[in-house]
Amino acid sequence: MDDDESLFLKPSRQGCNVIKLSFVIPEIAYMKNIFPCFLLFIVFVSAGCNRGGHGGCFEPNSKSMEGLWELRKANSMLVSDYPPGNGRTIRFTGNKYEKRENGQLVQSGEFTIINDATASESTCMNIASGQFTNRIIYDNNTNGQKVFLQLTGDQLIFMSGCFALDGGVALTYVRQ
């Protein structure tokens, strides 16, 4: 058995952020940049819902989402934190929405929220039962990418895309 076939964890030759089990799983290196996905999974698990008390999950609907929300975190291949007052907002009023960046309107229209239990399949992640069971549909576009949401206390998280294919994103907004 040569050095490349040992049973020990070794850094991959492709970079420091990928660990390779050379003998047991010889081709794990294809999972480049697994750390952001793992970090995102930890964020979702730690932000789990406490349905029994204050700060738990709420069924998102136009009434519970009403108001102004500001982007504070974006999780994808990279994690980006945004300071208060960054100007990236979304406002929900009834069944209408307005997205703004730096105070400028970038998108507006109507939205609906439907029950959809396919978040795990759509995002390529293991999602705990009862979480991200609702989907928002903007401007009646049912053919677009699925956007799932979770409302927990004063945080609203939107999640879409397949994280395993480096195409997923989770946006965390805070109520203003």
Side-chain angles (χ1 to χ4, degrees):
M1 198 181 277
D2 64 62
D3 286 342
D4 287 329
E5 294 180 350
S6 69
L7 294 174
F8 299 103
L9 290 174
K10 297 195 289 188
S12 168
R13 292 184 180 109
Q14 295 178 354
C16 297
N17 61 346
V18 177
I19 299 287
K20 181 176 173 181
L21 282 174
S22 299
F23 182 73
V24 179
I25 306 172
E27 296 303 322
I28 200 168
Y30 74 91
M31 301 250 333
K32 67 178 183 176
N33 297 323
I34 198 167
F35 180 73
C37 293
F38 177 73
L39 182 64
L40 185 63
F41 174 76
I42 295 300
V43 167
F44 288 129
V45 169
S46 66
C49 303
N50 175 7
R51 294 191 187 277
H54 178 69
C57 294
F58 305 100
E59 281 294 310
N61 58 50
S62 60
K63 192 71 170 166
S64 64
M65 290 173 40
E66 278 209 9
L68 182 65
W69 300 83
E70 184 177 53
L71 182 66
R72 290 298 167 80
K73 183 173 281 204
N75 292 319
S76 59
M77 285 297 296
L78 300 172
V79 177
S80 300
D81 292 311
Y82 297 93
N86 63 65
R88 293 174 176 92
T89 63
I90 186 167
R91 178 181 299 278
F92 295 103
T93 308
N95 68 336
K96 305 224 183 281
Y97 74 94
E98 290 183 344
K99 292 182 181 181
R100 294 181 181 272
E101 289 186 20
N102 298 320
Q104 299 296 315
L105 183 66
V106 293
Q107 187 178 0
S108 66
E110 294 183 352
F111 74 97
T112 56
I113 296 173
I114 63 169
N115 289 327
D116 187 333
T118 64
S120 288
E121 295 86 17
S122 295
T123 62
C124 308
M125 292 183 60
N126 290 326
I127 297 175
S129 178
Q131 293 191 15
F132 293 94
T133 58
N134 293 288
R135 189 173 79 153
I136 189 166
I137 299 173
Y138 295 104
D139 303 316
N140 205 27
N141 182 5
T142 56
N143 295 324
Q145 186 176 54
K146 291 184 176 183
V147 178
F148 297 90
L149 64 143
Q150 185 75 47
L151 177 60
T152 307
D154 284 340
Q155 283 193 344
L156 181 59
I157 301 171
F158 296 98
M159 186 168 49
S160 62
C162 180
F163 287 86
L165 299 176
D166 298 337
V169 64
L171 303 173
T172 302
Y173 285 81
V174 175
R175 188 183 299 273
Q176 297 300 291

